[in-house]
Amino acid sequence: MLARFGWLFSLSSFAAVALMTIVFVSPLGGVRIGGADARPILSRWNWFAITLCTTIATGILFWGAAEPMFHIASPPDFAGVVNDREAAQFALSTLFLHWSITPYAIYATPALAFALAYYNCGGAYSLSGPLRLIVKNDAKGAVPALLDAMALFALVAGVAASLGAGVMTLAGGLGAVAGLPDGAITRLGITVVIVLTYVVSSLSGLQRGIKVLSDINIRFFFLLCLFVLAAGPTLSILKLGLESAVAYVADFFPRSLGIGGESGSLWNDQWTLDWTVFFFANWLAWAPITALFLGRIAVGYTVREFLIFNLALPAFYGMIWMTIFGGGAILINQSTDGALLSALNSEGPEAVIYALIETLPLAGLVAVGFVFATFISFVTAMDSNTHSIAGVSLKPSSPAGLAGKPAMAVKIFWGVLIGAVSWVMTATNGIDGIRMLSNLGGGPGLLILIGCGAAIVKLLFSDTAALNAPPGAALKNVSEARARDGQINRATTP
């Protein structure tokens, strides 16, 4: 898949960035999701917290310190690295490429297409809703069913990959904190606990589940960032972050478009396929189902606000996190004669973050806090996705009645299935199992991204006044949304 379609993964991901930029400055940016009279069901703080925690899952926790170790140990030939400083800048700028603007554009494109199709155009609670915008007749029958099936397949693969990364991180943490040996049985136990927790949380409802967990989670994230920045080589981290940000901007277009290398194309470069395309595939695997959730909770806000809270702010936060943890890992590895790289080589990528924590004050307490943050992070992400999965899986495809017994059974089924897939792949293949799952899920996710992008292009040429005030559709959909999500505090100040 990577060898044949790596170029399409890269080009489509870059196209998503360009499209979201155009939408932001276009008249479509002023359209209110749900119509001119729609009101938000979440405050801006809760909206940002839920969006951030839903999208990052355990990714930044696992890869933040581990990924740069791979890059400084074996930088690709096209990087032209000649010394440690250049290696550090390349590694951190690569983290920015993999974890900031492009990934969130991959999320924002289908999420925005779904939000406008569902709330403003009267589409179904399904990924066939955006499809209806690019075909003359309603998308019914086998087409939407196939599209939803692709989305569910992509999600199982992508989420199982992220769950696997979280399980490996937690296994490494339990080894560092309690001396528990890592292995298939330990990973099975961790997987079972995570699955049970996010299924119970999902059954408890949006207000008591996702909203509470995300609020706790984001505060832990902020606290961890501040502590590591203050306890680590603060000024050196900030300097490396600034230098790497400049390199990221300078190289954004050529690396996004696959320009460079000896052959003139990075799409034939194995390093690019193993890393950049792999990460884009992982984001694409998450994007379809996550789009349903992100689009649903955005009602009442404008398209421009949607892009700020679903793309700009999370991307900026991703850069901050990677600067602190990725930059800190690079600098601490240099100052400890390669201690973090040794941990990677001897114990695996899950051990790198704990090797970093061991160099900080209060290492034991911080390690416990990091294990807790990792656990809550994935529970929060899967909590939101089980809502969307249940909505797609039930007939009719609508999130209405998600508190009923059939929906509970559906949530439990998907939770157990994802946990089982994740355990099998990580127990038998480790990090390679995570890579395989991401690539498998990215294929159908890519097709859905292209379709949703086409729907947004069509909306760019639509009458924005009609979108802002569709004939009865906006008020009808907002009313239904509030009825569905009555457990959310509707009185929160936008």
Side-chain angles (χ1 to χ4, degrees):
M1 184 178 293
L2 295 185
R4 294 181 181 274
F5 299 107
W7 63 273
L8 189 56
F9 277 98
S10 297
L11 275 184
S12 299
S13 301
F14 176 77
V17 176
L19 180 59
M20 292 300 97
T21 303
I22 293 171
V23 169
F24 186 84
V25 300
S26 74
L28 184 61
V31 170
R32 188 169 298 277
I33 298 171
D37 295 327
R39 293 293 178 267
I41 56 176
L42 289 171
S43 69
R44 283 185 168 85
W45 167 256
N46 288 130
W47 189 27
F48 172 67
I50 290 175
T51 296
L52 183 66
C53 295
T54 296
T55 54
I56 60 177
T58 56
I60 63 172
L61 302 175
F62 180 81
W63 291 108
E67 185 185 342
M69 294 300 101
F70 286 98
H71 300 332
I72 63 174
S74 301
D77 293 337
F78 70 80
V81 170
V82 296
N83 55 51
D84 290 344
R85 193 67 186 176
E86 290 184 358
Q89 290 179 12
F90 171 79
L92 190 52
S93 66
T94 297
L95 288 180
F96 295 159
L97 177 67
H98 294 166
W99 295 95
S100 61
I101 294 174
T102 303
Y104 280 101
I106 292 172
Y107 273 154
T109 300
L112 179 59
F114 165 75
L116 292 174
Y118 179 55
Y119 285 116
N120 296 68
C121 302
Y125 186 81
S126 165
L127 285 166
S128 63
L131 180 65
R132 180 177 176 269
L133 302 178
I134 55 177
V135 294
K136 292 184 179 180
N137 57 336
D138 291 344
K140 296 180 180 178
V143 174
L146 178 61
L147 200 63
D148 288 335
M150 289 169 56
L152 292 172
F153 173 82
L155 181 78
V156 169
V159 174
S162 293
L163 175 57
V167 168
M168 291 175 67
T169 303
L170 288 170
L174 291 177
V177 173
L180 191 67
D182 189 5
I185 301 301
T186 299
R187 294 183 182 184
L188 175 61
I190 294 171
T191 303
V192 170
V193 173
I194 291 178
V195 170
L196 286 175
T197 304
Y198 73 63
V199 168
V200 171
S201 175
S202 178
L203 295 178
S204 69
L206 187 59
Q207 172 73 1
R208 288 172 293 175
I210 303 170
K211 188 176 177 181
V212 173
L213 287 175
S214 62
D215 189 66
I216 294 172
N217 206 17
I218 197 171
R219 295 177 191 275
F220 257 89
F221 283 162
F222 288 158
L223 186 61
L224 280 171
C225 281
L226 290 173
F227 178 81
V228 174
L229 180 62
T234 307
L235 294 179
S236 297
I237 289 175
L238 295 176
K239 182 180 178 182
L240 177 59
L242 181 60
E243 293 172 348
S244 301
V246 172
Y248 165 62
V249 173
D251 295 336
F252 179 78
F253 288 100
R255 293 189 66 181
S256 297
L257 295 172
I259 301 171
E262 294 181 1
S263 65
S265 173
L266 298 180
W267 293 326
N268 297 322
D269 184 86
Q270 191 60 45
W271 186 95
T272 300
L273 296 178
D274 288 343
W275 287 103
T276 301
V277 178
F278 154 69
F279 277 117
F280 290 172
N282 193 36
W283 290 87
L284 283 163
W286 274 77
I289 289 294
T290 304
L292 298 181
F293 181 77
L294 296 180
R296 181 162 70 91
I297 65 174
V299 62
Y301 289 101
T302 66
V303 169
R304 199 164 284 120
E305 289 172 316
F306 176 91
L307 293 176
I308 291 173
F309 280 83
N310 286 269
L311 200 167
L313 291 179
F316 181 66
Y317 179 84
M319 294 184 71
I320 292 175
W321 180 279
M322 290 305 176
T323 295
I324 294 172
F325 281 86
I330 293 168
L331 294 169
I332 290 173
N333 182 70
Q334 292 176 348
S335 64
T336 56
D337 295 325
L340 273 63
L341 192 56
S342 297
L344 171 67
N345 294 329
S346 61
E347 302 175 59
E350 63 270 25
V352 176
I353 183 61
Y354 300 103
L356 183 155
I357 291 173
E358 287 178 3
T359 67
L360 304 175
L362 305 174
L365 182 62
V366 176
V368 171
F370 190 85
V371 170
F372 177 77
T374 302
F375 180 79
I376 295 297
S377 181
F378 194 82
V379 169
T380 306
M382 269 311 299
D383 195 338
S384 63
N385 280 306
T386 49
H387 277 271
S388 297
I389 291 171
V392 170
S393 300
L394 293 172
K395 291 184 177 182
S397 292
S398 168
L402 287 186
K405 290 183 179 180
M408 291 183 183
V410 170
K411 291 177 181 179
I412 293 171
F413 167 79
W414 283 110
V416 173
L417 178 63
I418 290 171
V421 172
S422 174
W423 177 73
V424 168
M425 296 302 287
T426 55
T428 57
N429 292 286
I431 192 68
D432 290 332
I434 293 175
R435 290 180 180 276
M436 284 186 278
L437 284 170
S438 294
N439 297 340
L440 288 172
L446 174 64
L447 298 178
I448 292 171
L449 174 72
I450 293 172
C452 289
I456 292 178
V457 170
K458 186 170 183 178
L459 288 174
L460 283 170
F461 296 95
S462 301
D463 183 358
T464 55
L467 287 174
N468 251 327
L475 294 179
K476 175 177 179 291
N477 281 323
V478 172
S479 176
E480 290 177 352
R482 289 178 173 176
R484 287 195 304 272
D485 304 321
Q487 68 270 41
I488 303 178
N489 182 7
R490 290 179 289 162
T492 51
T493 303

